[in-house]
Amino acid sequence: MAGVGPGSQTFPDSTTRSEIEQLRDSRQAAELEKRLRKRIQFGTAGLRGRMAAGFSCMNSLTVIQASQGLAKYLRENHGDLVHRGVIIGHDARHNSARFAVLAANAFIAQEIPVWFYSGPAVTPAVPFGVTDMRALAGVMVTASHNPAQDNGEATKCLVPPSSVSFPILTSSSYFKNGCQINSPMDREISESIERNLEPWPNAWTDSPTGQYFNPKTYEELLPRYTTRVWHYSKSTVQNWRYPKPFVYTPLHGVGGLVLPALCRSLGITDFTTVKEQIEPDPDFPTLPFPNPEENGALDLAVETADREGKTLIIANDPDADRFAAAEKVDGKWFFFTGNHMGALLASHLFDSLENIDTDTRVAVLNSAVSSTMLEKMAKARGIYFEESLTGFKWMGNTSRKLEESGYYVTFAFEEALGYMFPEVCYDKDGITAAMIFLSAQARWATQGLTPYSKLQKLFAEFGHHETLNNYFRSPNPETSMVLFDAIRAGQFKSEQKLGSFKILRWRDMTEGYDSGTEDKTPRLPADKSSQMLTLWLDRDVRFTIRASGTEAKVKYYIESCGSSREQAIDAVCDTLRAVIKEWIQPYAPLLTYSKQLPTSSGHILQLD
């Protein structure tokens, strides 16, 4: 790594250099080892991590190196298409604008046109732009809903529809098909990064210029994106109506720069924005975690709604690729989970398909950790359903492949508040989700229904689906691996038990094993680089545990379908208690977790 160390002339960032020197002078060897021994890894979601000095963190040098590796990869492997250019966007986090400029320098050096989003942009505008402009790739600098000290760079691309997508630097990268990149492209890009660590001439310039730099792209593309969003959401109803009054919060993110203006341009004016959170603020001063999934994230929205007498809340996460909603029911606030919202949006879109050609083959999909309810709803309508691995890098590419086979893919979702509408873009899109939801709410109102009562009707038809999705916090990746290795060492078989549950089926997506298929091979592609186990239990329970690819967490997902809410809740709670008693406490006692956990219907599970 000669030539790129903290003492090198190629590392002129005075802030991060000083940070390393202070650690050296104060003899903090352990921290230096942590910062410098390992390089931040480029994966299918690009790069994401804490902003700090050192090769293991997000900083100007690691952004330059990752960008150079990607630019060189594109030049060497898609040289005939580089004239299409690369779209680069960024959110409003600390250093996002600078990282975006440093990324642009790498592509300019390879004479690849850069379509630059000069101002803070919503993440969905990058994959939309890739397909709209037929760009070769897209890079978005964002850490999505991570804490304020984090940042990231993701890559998305557009080649012909059959190719895979790819992410880059921090949070999202896209390839020419408008989807996030996938294996093996992430590995090939990572290898290219290792070959291009030395910053190129002009790598550190703050003001790119020249024929390959186009700084006005976002001003031209944003109106095309919002027009597409509006036309698509309007097409899902025969007689469009205004939604009921609502409160909106972008959680200090870039959604506040787009959604309120879009609503007002359509005559939707009866809404209130959360004044403390409407402007982008990289410090997220009112939020410990700027993630709408976290307890308390919507507290200010609730206060605003209560003060104004409004009973509906909608929200985006800081980069506006996720969407959340809440409704006041019988004097109490009900927060829709991602699985709830997936079922609601799907139901609305299914109703909108009544006017399409009866010969059209329609398809929907969701991730392997999302609710099984979508599959049941789709089959009842004669719609093809396909399960996907976790993440929109998989769902976007799977949608493209289904389209090549003649399907019209109308919708995909994952439980983490992510919803994809291929009519707009091939990645999660919180702006489109918000507009579809508002259109659906207005339609349901004509039927005497609210979003909550519509959800209860769906439960009555397809069974009450109760979920509990949360995580164990892990001190390090090694501790997480101890857990998964110990679970596998138990060699669970279909006749064995987990607590009082009988294990009916066992799927290991890391090792490529599935007891429920004839050849014992999963129908989904195995991925040895990730950890993911799924168990099907009696009492109609499905349980998945996986290691997060972007956070120090071991995530779990429990779902039960029962004839009543109470029956489903009992099964979910019994499952988690069995997992903690038989797996976590014996094998990984260093994993920590909350002692009070809400299920999807608001029931609080108290753990001893």
Side-chain angles (χ1 to χ4, degrees):
M1 214 174 287
V4 295
S8 168
Q9 291 182 356
T10 62
F11 195 2
D13 189 321
S14 60
T15 301
T16 49
R17 179 169 179 165
S18 174
E19 194 175 327
I20 292 295
E21 290 173 342
Q22 288 176 11
L23 291 172
R24 177 200 63 193
D25 296 343
S26 59
R27 299 183 181 278
Q28 296 189 47
E31 183 65 19
L32 283 170
E33 178 80 16
K34 180 180 177 181
R35 300 276 195 98
L36 300 175
R37 176 65 65 184
K38 294 183 180 180
R39 174 171 297 283
I40 187 171
Q41 290 299 302
F42 178 94
T44 54
L47 304 181
R48 188 184 298 184
R50 181 168 62 102
M51 288 182 285
F55 304 132
S56 65
C57 304
M58 286 298 302
N59 53 62
S60 295
L61 178 62
T62 54
V63 166
I64 287 172
Q65 292 171 330
S67 301
Q68 289 181 170
L70 176 60
K72 196 71 170 180
Y73 174 87
L74 293 180
R75 170 58 69 182
E76 292 177 349
N77 293 274
H78 300 281
D80 58 328
L81 295 173
V82 294
H83 64 278
R84 294 188 185 182
V86 172
I87 290 177
I88 298 180
H90 65 86
D91 64 10
R93 285 177 178 263
H94 291 298
N95 292 317
S96 285
R98 173 164 173 75
F99 289 169
V101 167
L102 297 177
N105 292 337
F107 297 100
I108 293 169
Q110 291 296 309
E111 298 184 347
I112 299 174
V114 172
W115 308 104
F116 196 73
Y117 291 3
S118 295
V122 294
T123 287
V126 171
F128 170 82
V130 170
T131 52
D132 182 75
M133 298 182 65
R134 294 193 57 79
L136 173 60
V139 173
M140 180 66 188
V141 178
T142 177
S144 190
H145 55 274
N146 278 33
Q149 65 268 24
D150 289 4
N151 213 325
E153 186 175 355
T155 307
K156 318 204 176 210
C157 308
L158 166 86
V159 193
S162 59
S163 42
V164 294
S165 64
F166 72 66
I168 180 175
L169 306 175
T170 56
S171 173
S172 301
S173 298
Y174 304 83
F175 200 48
K176 49 194 174 181
N177 62 355
C179 310
Q180 293 187 42
I181 64 169
N182 235 325
S183 299
M185 192 180 293
D186 59 329
R187 184 186 68 251
E188 295 166 353
I189 295 171
S190 184
E191 293 169 354
S192 180
I193 292 171
E194 293 292 335
R195 295 192 297 269
N196 292 277
L197 296 177
E198 180 70 29
W200 299 334
N202 299 320
W204 295 91
T205 184
D206 291 326
S207 303
T209 57
Q211 62 176 318
Y212 296 104
F213 186 64
N214 304 279
K216 300 292 186 181
T217 306
Y218 194 54
E219 293 91 325
E220 299 170 0
L221 187 136
L222 181 60
R224 298 207 295 272
Y225 167 70
T226 54
T227 298
R228 177 79 65 83
V229 170
W230 163 235
H231 283 315
Y232 176 57
S233 61
K234 188 176 180 180
S235 74
T236 65
V237 290
Q238 284 188 329
N239 298 303
W240 187 84
R241 294 174 174 83
Y242 291 112
K244 68 183 296 185
F246 61 91
V247 166
Y248 170 66
T249 176
L251 298 183
H252 296 296
V254 292
L257 303 176
V258 175
L259 188 65
L262 173 58
C263 287
R264 293 186 184 105
S265 72
L266 304 174
I268 302 173
T269 58
D270 197 352
F271 67 93
T272 302
T273 58
V274 177
K275 63 180 181 179
E276 299 93 337
Q277 298 174 335
I278 191 61
E279 295 295 331
D281 188 328
D283 293 318
F284 306 109
T286 67
L287 298 163
F289 296 99
N291 181 352
E293 291 180 286
E294 295 284 347
N295 290 335
L298 298 182
D299 282 356
L300 279 178
V302 167
E303 290 179 17
T304 302
D306 285 342
R307 184 171 61 248
E308 300 208 354
K310 292 182 170 63
T311 58
L312 187 66
I313 292 170
I314 65 172
N316 289 125
D317 69 337
D319 68 328
D321 65 350
R322 287 174 170 83
F323 169 73
E327 180 185 340
K328 199 168 191 178
V329 180
D330 297 330
K332 296 182 179 179
W333 284 96
F334 180 85
F335 299 89
F336 296 97
T337 68
N339 285 322
H340 292 155
M341 190 56 60
L344 286 170
L345 294 175
S347 175
H348 173 70
L349 293 173
F350 289 173
D351 289 340
S352 74
L353 295 173
E354 296 174 353
N355 297 323
I356 71 168
D357 191 328
T358 55
D359 293 330
T360 301
R361 294 189 298 166
V362 180
V364 293
L365 54 154
N366 66 5
S367 68
V369 298
S370 299
S371 175
T372 58
M373 191 169 174
L374 179 64
E375 181 177 9
K376 297 168 186 174
M377 293 169 59
K379 287 183 176 179
R381 295 283 192 120
I383 292 171
Y384 176 75
F385 169 84
E386 186 161 324
E387 184 184 42
S388 166
L389 286 178
T390 304
F392 284 87
K393 64 188 180 187
W394 295 104
M395 284 186 278
N397 285 290
T398 300
S399 296
R400 285 291 202 181
K401 291 176 182 177
L402 287 170
E403 289 174 346
E404 290 175 14
S405 301
Y407 283 97
Y408 167 62
V409 182
T410 184
F411 181 59
F413 88 92
E414 67 177 6
E415 52 75 37
L417 303 178
Y419 317 97
M420 182 181 81
F421 309 88
E423 288 276 359
V424 179
C425 70
Y426 290 86
D427 200 1
K428 54 186 175 290
D429 183 347
I431 301 296
T432 302
M435 296 309 298
I436 295 289
F437 176 76
L438 293 176
S439 296
Q441 181 274 316
R443 170 197 268 173
W444 296 328
T446 66
Q447 303 165 359
L449 298 171
T450 69
Y452 177 82
S453 60
K454 176 65 176 180
L455 179 64
Q456 303 314 306
K457 286 195 66 173
L458 293 174
F459 281 158
E461 184 175 358
F462 298 103
H464 188 101
H465 289 67
E466 191 75 18
T467 60
L468 177 56
N469 302 337
N470 212 286
Y471 58 85
F472 305 107
R473 191 167 291 280
S474 178
N476 51 58
E478 290 74 22
T479 299
S480 301
M481 281 303 304
V482 167
L483 172 64
F484 286 95
D485 288 344
I487 293 172
R488 290 191 181 95
Q491 297 180 346
F492 287 92
K493 297 178 182 178
S494 59
E495 69 269 22
Q496 289 192 301
K497 288 191 173 184
L498 175 64
S500 63
F501 293 93
K502 183 177 180 180
I503 299 174
L504 306 177
R505 178 183 170 192
W506 170 280
R507 183 172 70 189
D508 186 338
M509 293 307 305
T510 308
E511 299 297 326
Y513 173 78
D514 189 341
S515 68
T517 61
E518 187 174 346
D519 59 359
K520 307 302 180 187
T521 301
R523 296 294 174 254
L524 297 174
D527 184 1
K528 287 189 174 296
S529 67
S530 63
Q531 299 293 325
M532 181 171 170
L533 302 168
T534 300
L535 281 70
W536 283 260
L537 312 174
D538 60 352
R539 295 169 63 183
D540 207 348
V541 173
R542 186 183 67 173
F543 169 74
T544 294
I545 186 169
R546 72 178 186 92
S548 172
T550 58
E551 302 169 282
K553 296 177 179 178
V554 173
K555 297 184 176 182
Y556 61 85
Y557 311 80
I558 308 172
E559 180 178 45
S560 174
C561 178
S563 58
S564 69
R565 171 179 175 271
E566 291 72 22
Q567 184 186 68
I569 287 174
D570 288 344
V572 165
C573 295
D574 290 347
T575 301
L576 180 59
R577 290 192 178 99
V579 169
I580 291 175
K581 180 180 179 180
E582 298 196 9
W583 287 0
I584 304 304
Q585 292 176 346
Y587 301 149
L590 293 179
L591 294 181
T592 58
Y593 50 91
S594 173
K595 300 297 183 181
Q596 289 188 330
L597 297 167
T599 65
S600 57
S601 64
H603 172 84
I604 302 298
L605 169 60
Q606 179 68 50
L607 298 170
D608 296 331

